[in-house]
Amino acid sequence: MKTEITELLQIEKPIIQGGMAWVAEHNLAAAVSAAGGLGIIGAANAPADWVRTEIRKVREITDLPIGVNVMLLSPYADEVAQVLVEEKVPVITTGAGNPGKYMEMWKSSGSKVIPVVASVALARMMERGGADAVIAEGTESGGHIGAATTMTLVPQVVDAVSIPVIAAGGIGDGRGMAAAFMLGAKAVQLGTRFVVAKESICHASYKERIIKAKDIDSAVTGRSHGHPIRQLRNQMTKEYLKKEQEGVPFEELELMTVGALRNAVIDGDVKNGTVMAGQIAGLVKKEQTCQEIIDEIMKEATALLQGAQYG
Ligand code: TUI
């Protein structure tokens, strides 16, 4: 399936893996790229040296294109931005902010730059700033989220910009991919489904929580202080939401979540840790290899899109 995104990124299939903190490391990124999609290393809050090492580890496994996601709230964002220039990373995506100040350096070092946007206004600004494409991410996503749904955001961003749009948030199978293409997207980005991939280093208990999740099992913490995070409900979200409702100050709430994502992803503490996942978790039923996931989604989407205009 050829689209403006497969051409732009030199990949076979228009499926991109999200840059999930702790999960999106070299094993997962290499497996997604090897399966014909675009694997992404999630820099999240990691130091720049970790990012450089992960990029080099992927390169030992495959020559195929990969990307790095820069989480713009990270204290290491400036250093990570510089490492991506030095390592000549072919694709850079960004999240949780406006990457305007890095755009020129990344473009002039030859990277394709694809910011995640949660509004039409930011999409327009990114196009003016030289972005090659944007990822329109709906509130169905796991982790840090915006307010608009994928169904409403994607077509409005598609109408507002002339660069290609990648849809994200709530997409977990070929039906979701086909629907996104009908809204005008030229590729999709998936997170939750890849968390459960065989090649994902995520703890078995975390994967199990996603597999067992039902449609309405996620909660959003942090709305009161402007950093909403979607995650699966557990003891921690219960306590957090109660304290948030009582008006407990941000600093105290933040203390509750220090190291909590790592505790869940690496140590498997799904009770008191942060189990980030999107609303589509209820659809994810089994652990599969990245190749199986991508082949299944492509087969289903292409059958649905037969005769439709998707390129
Ligand atoms: O970035 C994400 N998802 C994430 S990042 C993350 S790590 C984290 N951990 C704890 C606290 C905060 C972050 C976990 N999940 N997705 C991309 C995304 N970007 N979603 C929404 C946005 C977004 C929202 C508003 C991007 C830009 C924006 O506007 C900023 C502006 O300045 O206009």
Side-chain angles (χ1 to χ4, degrees):
M1 187 192 274
K2 268 193 183 173
T3 77
E4 284 169 59
I5 291 294
T6 59
E7 299 297 287
L8 177 74
L9 306 183
Q10 295 292 295
I11 55 176
E12 238 180 87
K13 295 158 190 159
I15 298 180
I16 297 169
Q17 166 234 319
M20 299 86 71
W22 292 102
V23 178
E25 47 70 77
H26 69 276
N27 292 294
L28 187 61
V32 170
S33 287
L38 184 77
I40 300 261
I41 293 164
N45 280 310
D49 271 348
W50 180 87
V51 179
R52 193 193 301 277
T53 307
E54 292 299 306
I55 294 166
R56 292 185 178 175
K57 282 180 180 168
V58 174
R59 289 205 172 118
E60 281 171 21
I61 306 172
T62 177
D63 292 331
L64 289 163
I66 54 138
V68 174
N69 174 267
V70 181
M71 209 280 282
L72 295 161
L73 295 170
S74 165
Y76 303 107
D78 286 349
E79 294 153 54
V80 169
Q82 185 56 40
V83 162
L84 305 190
V85 170
E86 290 161 17
E87 296 295 322
K88 300 199 183 310
V89 171
V91 185
I92 301 173
T93 66
T94 64
N98 178 346
K101 70 169 175 171
Y102 304 122
M103 206 71 107
E104 217 174 280
M105 72 189 254
W106 287 340
K107 292 298 302 167
S108 53
S109 73
S111 298
K112 305 291 183 212
V113 182
I114 311 184
V116 170
V117 299
S119 68
V120 164
L122 190 62
R124 282 208 173 100
M125 199 188 296
M126 295 297 97
E127 180 177 43
R128 279 200 302 277
D132 295 279
V134 288
I135 301 169
E137 189 185 283
T139 195
E140 296 93 323
S141 301
H144 180 87
I145 51 169
T149 60
T150 301
M151 181 73 104
T152 57
L153 182 66
V154 171
Q156 293 185 79
V157 171
V158 165
D159 285 351
V161 298
S162 41
I163 50 177
V165 176
I166 299 163
I171 302 167
D173 65 9
R175 292 171 298 179
M177 178 171 173
F181 274 50
M182 298 316 291
L183 298 175
K186 305 295 183 193
V188 289
Q189 178 179 279
L190 281 72
T192 305
R193 181 104 187 244
F194 285 122
V195 172
V196 181
K198 281 219 167 83
E199 296 91 342
S200 153
I201 58 140
C202 188
H203 195 283
S205 303
Y206 196 118
K207 292 182 181 178
E208 196 58 26
R209 255 315 313 265
I210 292 178
I211 287 169
K212 291 219 169 105
K214 297 192 180 64
D215 52 352
I216 53 169
D217 278 356
S218 75
V220 179
T221 58
R223 283 206 195 275
S224 64
H225 53 79
H227 289 298
I229 300 278
R230 184 181 301 285
Q231 54 195 291
L232 294 179
R233 285 176 212 282
N234 60 7
Q235 191 60 37
M236 213 268 277
T237 60
K238 202 170 154 186
E239 282 167 28
Y240 193 105
L241 290 170
K242 184 165 173 277
K243 286 196 179 174
E244 214 177 349
Q245 226 166 21
E246 289 165 3
V248 169
F250 171 59
E251 292 72 21
E252 195 182 321
L253 290 170
E254 205 180 31
L255 282 179
M256 286 177 71
T257 61
V258 173
L261 181 62
R262 187 203 171 279
N263 293 346
V265 173
I266 307 296
D267 299 335
D269 180 1
V270 294
K271 202 168 158 199
N272 295 302
T274 303
V275 187
M276 291 186 194
Q279 288 185 320
I280 205 66
L283 193 96
V284 179
K285 291 286 172 241
K286 57 179 187 285
E287 194 181 37
Q288 291 169 296
T289 65
C290 291
Q291 188 76 57
E292 287 166 347
I293 292 171
I294 289 178
D295 288 350
E296 194 178 292
I297 294 172
M298 287 302 297
K299 192 173 164 208
E300 200 178 0
T302 46
L304 290 167
L305 290 166
Q306 285 270 312
Q309 192 65 42
Y310 61 79

